[in-house]
Amino acid sequence: MGRYILGRLISAIPVLLGITVIVFLIMALIPGDPATAILGSYATPENVEKLNRDLGLDKPLVSQYFIWLGNMLQGDFGTSFSLNRPVIDEVLERFNATLILAGTSFVICSVLGIMAGVISAANQYGWADKGITFVVLLGISIPSFFLGMMMILFFSVNLRVFPVSGMWPIYGTRDIWALLNHLVLPATALAVVATGVIARLSRSAMLEVLRQDFIRTARAKGVHERGVIWRHALKAAMVSIIPVLGIQAGFVLSGAVYIEIVFQWPGVGRMLVDAILTRDILLVQGGVVFVAACYVLFNIVVDVAQSLLDPRIKT
Amino acid sequence: MMGFLKLLARNRLALAGGIVLSFVVLLALITPLLPLAEPNVTNTAARFQKPFSEGALLGTDHLGRDLLSRLMWGTRLSLAVGFAAAVVAATLGAAIGIVAGFYGGRTDNLIMRGVDMLMAFPYILLALAIVAALGPGLFNALIAVAAVNVPFFARNIRGITVGIAHKEFVDAARLAGLSNTRIILTEILPNVIPVIVIAMSTTIGWMILETAGLSFLGLGSQPPQADLGSMLGEARSALITNPHTSVVPGIMILIIVMSINLLGDGVRDALDPRLKSGALSRPMAATLVSRKDPVPPAEGKGLLEVQELQTQFHVKDRVYRAVGGVSLHVKPGECLGVIGESGSGKSVTALSVMGLVASPPGVITGGAVRYDGEDLIGAPYRKLREMRGRNVAYIFQDPLATLHPLYKVGDQLIEAIRSHRPISKSEGQAKAIDLLKAVRIPNAEKRISDHPHEMSGGMRQRVGIAMALANDPDIIIADEPTTALDVTVQAQILSLLDDLRRSRGLAIVFITHDFGVVGQLCDRVAVMYAGRIVEEGPTQSVLETPTHPYTARLMACVPELGAGKRRLEAIPGLPPVVDKLPKGCAFADRCDRVQADCRQGEIDLEREGTRAVRCIHPVIPLKEAAE
């Protein structure tokens, strides 16, 4: 097992390098130079040139890349000019908030999605199935940012049960309850689409499995139908559900950008959008690379979970 | 194509989605012709008018612009951008996929590595990075959304292309000296276009959502021009005071994406052949029962008594009579063989006993199954479940498919016991080891923690038998338990079953298509053809003097060891399809003794002592055979 994990980690290295190359190339395409963007269009040519030299932008592209990469490996992602603070500090702080939001959402969508899919499949063509199928269709069709706005309108403005926005109360204690209270709406809004996708996939994976011979064996030995569905069938179906959970984690992370904007959540997505609008390139670069790397590592976790579930996978 | 459209139209939801979508697209197309207010003319005096107010059907926004007009123009823009992004992504992705799939080798490797790299990003990060580089704007957002979706198309199309690139017609084109470009354009492309179109139809909803999302973030369309996403983004600041400005564009996105999804689902379902055949139906916990005729009275012939059993498969409007009135019985310590070709209904008969026929499509429509005199057909599920494995246990063919692949065999054995009585974990462990020893699995203590795929076929079948023995059942129904095994293992399994029967007084129903196996194990044998029993009697007697022409031919199919070069005789023709059974004898078309009266009407199972046959022109008269 240890060797398998190590192998997966090593095979992630070229992917991580690829990510940095892609991000670097995209940023290198930017028309005009960053120094002008930082200093504004009234800057003197001397100042622009000096800043360019300070930033290392006068060097050839390849050496720029390696300098940037080397710095990042030492934890130096550069300094954000708009915030005047090291990129890595800002990213870590923001990513923490995103992780709380996206992590909660991921748990919600995995649990609810799988449950809905299993119930749907177990009652195929019944009322529960039809109801779930309809709600799921609605869920995957509604833009999460619109859903979030409607939730604010309904739960925060009309019913006044949850706060409108933010991660912490402006006044008052910052305890876990305050956080949960602020988390309910954004985490739910973020989870809806992924829940729908997971429910759909779980339903079809379950239907596929329920026709297998080993399900008949379980029934033939007198296993209760609950056990047949939730143990035998679900365990086998998880083999095809887990990879989708990995993909959906990416979608939850992506969707977090919209939800962070709608709910004023101080996460990394909102930071990126602000950084784009202020053309704070180093912050964009650092944020994108950091989040993508975390996602790659998360996918290794998914692979390991898969190999733990299915002994047929060679580890 | 017409069939496809018909199927699509039959799916009412897809039809509804299609109609709504066509309506929206039509409105978007004729927007410039409609008598709408100018979408970008501001009138701050009339800002935030409510819907249905004078001169503004849907009200006005924060700058007093007519919302209806902006909605129509916004829809037009969103649809156009979403569609354009889909076309760009599909074209680029398909081009990359075709090149990778067609040339293969290093080209393929290099391209697909790059694609994997792009897919390692959560999609929006990539889109954000692209917009960051190009600057905010609708066109740049379009490029970003298209670029993010290119890998998806590239991967799908590559898969299809690899499949096609090795087909005969491509080889033929190569041999004819066509250039690679020609081959791609004339042979490959026409075959992948349908796939591209389907992939597009399922992703276009996403593209619209994604571009709307970028616009919502302020990175897409720039004021005063507005698509649905930026309308929503601008309205957000007035969400609490004037929610209608948010609701109007939001609902429109929902309607568009939902109708596209409905249509896309319909397209996918219409193209999935498994849905048509009902193969995606889930079998329920017990077979459906719909008995119209009166239940035959108990006869007290054996521990298990199957009486006039009828099991059918209902697929769409067709009815397959898999089992058409079968009667069997078996006493404790006795082994009954049920023999027949595949499709003769022998397995369905066996599965009907404990309601294990997959349903839908299976339905038990008549007869009775009596355990110790009590009718089980239509018994409540709870009763059936309690009897499964405890009173009547099954052994199935192909234990690789019939054992759960992800559980250790020990746990599967323990579960079998636990389903009927509570035992502790250590007790279960000990019992599992005993069971494995009982079926002569060496090293049982270690083997209980094996997974099925770590065992050989013979070992797996022993586990299957051990599982059947777990609760000391009275009856074991073995459905071709040795078919998937090689001959030596087969002999071992048979002698194991025989020993168990003698030592435990088990009643065994042994289903097979192999007369050799029947001869070794069974006291009596019933021959099935097209869902009915055609001959029955003590094994020795039937083997020596078969009376039904089918039995005689079936036996001739078995080569005898040491009998020299006897010709292996196959029976010409195929058994009749059980939804179109002929009048009279079902074997008539393949029988060399057939007479006109064979096809006239129902032929009864005629009894004489222990023997019975369903034939009016038997090989030898039943009376003679029975003696």
Side-chain angles (χ1 to χ4, degrees), chain B residues 63-121:
Chain B
L63 295 174
R65 297 174 292 197
D66 182 47
L67 263 182
L68 177 64
S69 168
R70 285 181 73 74
L71 180 74
M72 296 311 303
W73 285 94
T75 303
R76 191 175 150 88
L77 198 57
S78 277
L79 284 175
V81 173
F83 185 73
V87 171
V88 172
T91 313
L92 276 177
I96 293 172
I98 288 175
V99 168
F102 182 76
Y103 290 100
R106 196 172 286 173
T107 320
D108 182 29
N109 226 326
L110 199 69
I111 292 179
M112 291 325 287
R113 275 289 147 80
V115 165
D116 286 345
M117 224 67 101
L118 287 176
M119 284 186 127
F121 283 91

Side-chain angles (χ1 to χ4, degrees), chain A residues 26 121-122 124 137 141 149 153 200 208 210-211 214 216-217 219-222 224-225 231-232 254 261 295, chain B residues 120 133 236 243 258 261 265 274 279-285 381 385 388-389 396 401-402 404 412 415 420:
Chain A
I26 292 174
Q124 192 189 15
L137 178 74
S141 303
M149 287 162 70
L153 212 51
R200 274 189 158 197
E208 196 76 37
L210 278 168
R211 291 181 296 124
F214 57 80
R216 190 184 59 197
T217 309
R219 286 183 174 142
K221 63 184 186 183
H224 206 283
E225 189 63 9
R231 271 205 316 274
H232 286 253
S254 297
I261 299 271
Y295 180 57
Chain B
R236 197 169 66 85
M258 190 145 151
N261 283 340
D265 289 353
R274 291 181 304 175
L280 279 183
S281 293
R282 140 208 112 86
M284 293 191 294
Y381 165 71
R385 183 197 77 76
R388 287 173 179 176
F396 297 108
T402 53
H404 198 293
Q412 301 195 43
E415 189 191 25
H420 297 290

Side-chain angles (χ1 to χ4, degrees), chain B residues 151-400:
Chain B
F152 165 78
F153 283 97
R155 211 180 233 194
N156 273 349
I157 302 302
R158 176 195 167 267
I160 307 289
T161 311
V162 167
I164 296 171
H166 298 291
K167 285 264 167 69
E168 296 81 359
F169 60 89
V170 177
D171 290 338
R174 273 207 194 96
L175 287 174
L178 293 185
S179 70
N180 281 339
T181 326
R182 276 283 299 277
I183 296 178
I184 287 177
L185 289 179
T186 59
E187 307 291 337
I188 307 272
L189 195 59
N191 283 298
V192 293
I193 280 186
V195 186
I196 301 175
V197 171
I198 292 163
M200 250 179 77
S201 76
T202 51
T203 48
I204 198 164
W206 262 114
M207 309 260 189
I208 290 176
L209 264 183
E210 284 165 15
T211 35
L214 286 178
S215 289
F216 173 79
L217 297 176
L219 306 174
S221 75
Q222 301 295 314
Q225 189 191 44
D227 68 354
L228 294 173
S230 58
M231 280 178 75
L232 205 50
E234 285 174 21
R236 197 169 66 85
S237 49
L239 171 66
I240 294 171
T241 49
N242 290 284
H244 71 276
T245 50
S246 305
V247 171
V248 166
I251 296 279
M252 188 50 132
I253 301 179
L254 178 63
I255 289 174
I256 293 174
V257 177
M258 190 145 151
S259 56
I260 290 177
N261 283 340
L262 279 174
L263 191 60
D265 289 353
V267 169
R268 213 186 41 212
D269 290 354
L271 291 172
D272 192 338
R274 291 181 304 175
L275 272 177
K276 271 181 268 177
S277 63
L280 279 183
S281 293
R282 140 208 112 86
M284 293 191 294
T287 312
L288 281 174
V289 173
S290 156
R291 272 194 300 195
K292 303 224 167 57
D293 297 330
V295 180
E299 291 168 51
K301 276 188 189 159
L303 182 60
L304 178 71
E305 223 181 329
V306 175
Q307 299 169 299
E308 289 305 313
L309 178 73
Q310 293 189 33
T311 305
Q312 306 179 340
F313 292 108
H314 294 182
V315 181
K316 289 262 165 83
D317 326 322
R318 298 180 123 185
V319 174
Y320 297 84
R321 294 184 171 78
V323 179
V326 164
S327 300
L328 298 168
H329 60 93
V330 62
K331 296 194 194 79
E334 188 185 31
C335 177
L336 169 72
V338 179
I339 190 164
E341 289 170 276
S342 8
S344 61
K346 53 192 194 307
S347 291
V348 179
T349 307
L351 292 173
S352 298
V353 171
M354 283 284 113
L356 289 170
V357 178
S359 190
V363 186
I364 296 177
T365 52
V369 171
R370 295 185 185 278
Y371 174 85
D372 211 7
E374 193 186 347
D375 186 19
L376 300 178
I377 290 185
Y381 165 71
R382 187 221 281 261
K383 162 117 189 138
L384 219 48
R385 183 197 77 76
E386 282 174 359
M387 291 190 68
R388 287 173 179 176
R390 200 177 64 179
N391 302 98
V392 182
Y394 282 84
I395 304 169
F396 297 108
Q397 190 187 341
D398 187 10
L400 186 59

Side-chain angles (χ1 to χ4, degrees), chain A residues 100-101 104-105 108 112 147-148 151-152 155-156 161-168 176-192 259 263 265:
Chain A
I100 291 172
L101 173 63
T104 312
S105 268
I108 294 176
L112 283 187
L147 178 68
M151 284 170 88
I152 290 176
F155 292 104
S156 307
V161 280
F162 294 111
V164 173
S165 67
M167 185 165 165
W168 300 106
I176 180 86
W177 297 112
L179 178 63
L180 283 179
N181 200 24
H182 280 79
L183 195 55
V184 172
L185 289 188
T188 311
L190 179 53
V192 163
I259 297 300
F263 287 91
W265 192 269

Side-chain angles (χ1 to χ4, degrees), chain B residues 582-596:
Chain B
K583 227 168 90 179
C585 177
F587 189 59
D589 285 346
R590 302 166 79 188
C591 185
D592 47 10
R593 301 175 62 84
V594 63
Q595 312 268 326

Side-chain angles (χ1 to χ4, degrees), chain A residues 252-306:
Chain A
V252 168
L253 211 51
S254 297
V257 175
Y258 304 120
I259 297 300
E260 284 169 9
I261 299 271
V262 171
F263 287 91
Q264 303 281 318
W265 192 269
V268 80
R270 219 175 100 207
M271 177 201 85
L272 283 175
V273 174
D274 289 343
I276 291 172
L277 292 173
T278 55
R279 302 196 66 81
D280 190 342
I281 300 305
L282 281 175
L283 194 54
V284 177
Q285 268 182 341
V288 170
V289 168
F290 184 84
V291 176
C294 289
Y295 180 57
V296 169
L297 293 179
F298 178 78
N299 271 315
I300 295 177
V301 175
V302 171
D303 287 348
V304 171
Q306 181 82 334

